[in-house]
Amino acid sequence: MACVMITHYAPGDSILRKLGIDWAVIGVHIFFVLSGFLITKLLSEKYFATDRFMAGFAAFLVARTVRIIPLAFFALAVVALLSTEPLPKGFFEYNLTFTSNIYTARTGEWFPDVGHYWSLAVEMQFYLIFPFFVWAFRRRLLPALIIATAALYLLQEVVARYSGFANPGFLLTGRADAFLLGGILFCMTKRPDFAFFAKMALAFGCTVYVGQSFGREFLQTSAFISQMPIANLLFAGLVGVAMLNGSVVDRVFSNHILVHFGKVSYGIYIWHPIMWLVYPFLNNATHGAISRHVSLILLLVLLTIGFAEASWHLFEKQLNTIGHRWSSKILKGSHVAKNDASDFPTQPAA
């Protein structure tokens, strides 16, 4: 989340914005890779642990929608309340249906204050489709994911050339490779060469991504490999190395402060652009005493953390517990129904 906040908060003339690195892409795609890893793990080991697809699919959707939708919708209401400008046409329709990424891909424009909802749309669309893939290929998931990733890169080229959209990269097809690489990473954890795979992915991805970013910004060279797939490989390696006990990345991410911020990271992501709507009220209250640089950035960061902490403790945490409870009931009910059905005697053959 810190990477995304750099893009939205840091001034355009700051050194962080002049390094030739797209911090927002880094933050979002780390999340997508991590999400692909966790969702593949949950589907494989929890929701599809039995042979009842619909129960597992329903339990999965309940848990995820209860986690994502309430805060997303509540934040939309806050934006509508605080915005001093008329909301553009389609603001609620696209954002309430999690299709704002299609709007951005088609028009090349962002909805004010909730432009970041495009990533939530991609995430929700992934939730609706990916379980069918995992179920269909659950016995050969790793090769299926590798083939699907390769096919997706070809599909991205076709969509980019023939869709006619202003920015097709915001469609699910343009971002799903990050999720799939996260799924591949999960499958690799079952293999003895997982540590080697994670380290090589991190080293190769980091070298190429940083090198091409530096060359493009300061040497005016063009990338010889698309930055997006390389970035996703880098992030998969980063997540993988973080899972290696005793590694530097593992020790950093195990810090209890970072673990806590991980819990409220969804709230931080949702709220941070919306803090620009809160700022004018505070600036007016202080008669313009808030500067446009360091103190402003600090204020926005503190506001974001404060809103995220409040929403987590006031209702997110409770709703998350309720979602998991409902999800568990669906799975248990399915298990009971299956056992009850097996108790009925089979009819003798005619």
Side-chain angles (χ1 to χ4, degrees):
M1 297 305 102
C3 292
V4 181
M5 292 173 70
I6 288 174
T7 297
H8 292 159
Y9 285 171
D13 58 352
S14 66
I15 184 63
L16 290 174
R17 298 290 294 276
K18 290 185 174 182
L19 291 176
I21 298 175
D22 193 330
W23 295 101
V25 168
I26 289 177
V28 169
H29 277 251
I30 288 177
F31 174 76
F32 282 168
V33 170
L34 182 59
S35 181
F37 177 92
L38 294 175
I39 295 307
T40 306
K41 176 180 174 65
L42 285 171
L43 290 172
S44 300
E45 297 182 351
K46 179 179 179 180
Y47 296 109
F48 292 157
T50 67
D51 60 353
R52 300 180 69 84
F53 169 77
M54 286 308 301
F57 182 55
F60 167 74
L61 283 185
V62 165
R64 299 315 302 160
T65 54
V66 171
R67 176 72 184 102
I68 290 177
I69 288 179
L71 179 60
F73 285 5
F74 177 67
L76 284 176
V78 171
V79 170
L81 181 65
L82 296 181
S83 180
T84 57
E85 300 291 334
L87 297 176
K89 182 180 180 181
F91 178 87
F92 287 109
E93 290 88 339
Y94 281 103
N95 287 300
L96 290 175
T97 58
F98 292 98
T99 54
S100 61
N101 66 316
I102 298 175
Y103 172 85
T104 299
R106 180 172 55 83
T107 65
E109 299 177 355
W110 308 88
F111 284 114
D113 306 307
V114 291
H116 59 311
Y117 270 44
W118 75 265
S119 61
L120 296 184
V122 169
E123 185 87 4
M124 291 297 288
Q125 292 159 19
F126 171 72
Y127 290 161
L128 290 174
I129 296 173
F130 192 59
F132 292 91
F133 180 90
V134 173
W135 177 263
F137 299 104
R138 62 192 183 282
R139 313 242 184 257
R140 296 287 186 271
L141 190 55
L142 179 57
L145 284 168
I146 294 173
I147 294 172
T149 304
L152 184 65
Y153 289 136
L154 295 176
L155 180 61
Q156 288 175 354
E157 291 297 321
V158 172
V159 172
R161 288 172 181 245
Y162 303 109
S163 68
F165 281 8
N167 200 334
F170 287 95
L171 298 173
L172 177 61
T173 54
R175 307 287 171 157
D177 56 308
F179 297 111
L180 296 182
L181 280 173
I184 291 173
L185 181 67
F186 165 74
C187 294
M188 291 298 297
T189 61
K190 310 295 184 181
R191 297 171 57 94
D193 55 351
F194 168 68
F196 176 78
F197 168 79
K199 292 176 181 178
M200 288 302 297
L202 178 61
F204 179 77
C206 183
T207 301
V208 176
Y209 184 82
V210 174
Q212 291 189 151
S213 296
F214 180 87
R216 181 183 59 190
E217 185 68 19
F218 298 103
L219 304 177
Q220 285 72 54
T221 59
S222 58
F224 64 93
I225 303 177
S226 177
Q227 283 288 76
M228 195 78 73
I230 289 297
N232 291 331
L233 182 64
L234 162 62
F235 305 146
L238 180 65
V239 174
V241 170
M243 298 172 59
L244 302 179
N245 292 331
S247 68
V248 175
V249 182
D250 172 52
R251 290 196 296 271
V252 170
F253 287 169
S254 297
N255 180 277
H256 69 279
I257 296 177
L258 292 182
V259 170
H260 174 73
F261 277 118
K263 292 180 180 179
V264 300
S265 60
Y266 176 51
I268 291 175
Y269 185 71
I270 287 291
W271 289 116
H272 80 275
I274 300 174
M275 292 306 99
W276 284 109
L277 288 173
V278 179
Y279 162 71
F281 295 97
L282 294 177
N283 197 38
N284 290 337
T286 58
H287 305 290
I290 300 174
S291 74
R292 294 293 300 176
H293 295 293
V294 176
S295 61
L296 172 59
I297 295 173
L298 180 60
L299 172 66
L300 293 173
V301 169
L302 292 176
L303 282 172
T304 298
I305 294 174
F307 269 68
E309 290 284 351
S311 65
W312 170 255
H313 289 289
L314 291 177
F315 66 91
E316 281 184 78
K317 186 177 180 180
Q318 292 79 1
L319 285 174
N320 202 28
T321 301
I322 292 172
H324 284 295
R325 186 182 302 137
W326 288 349
S327 176
S328 296
K329 285 184 178 180
I330 294 173
L331 291 177
K332 289 179 180 178
S334 170
H335 181 69
V336 170
K338 179 183 177 182
N339 289 340
D340 289 345
S342 65
D343 291 337
F344 287 100
T346 57
Q347 294 294 328

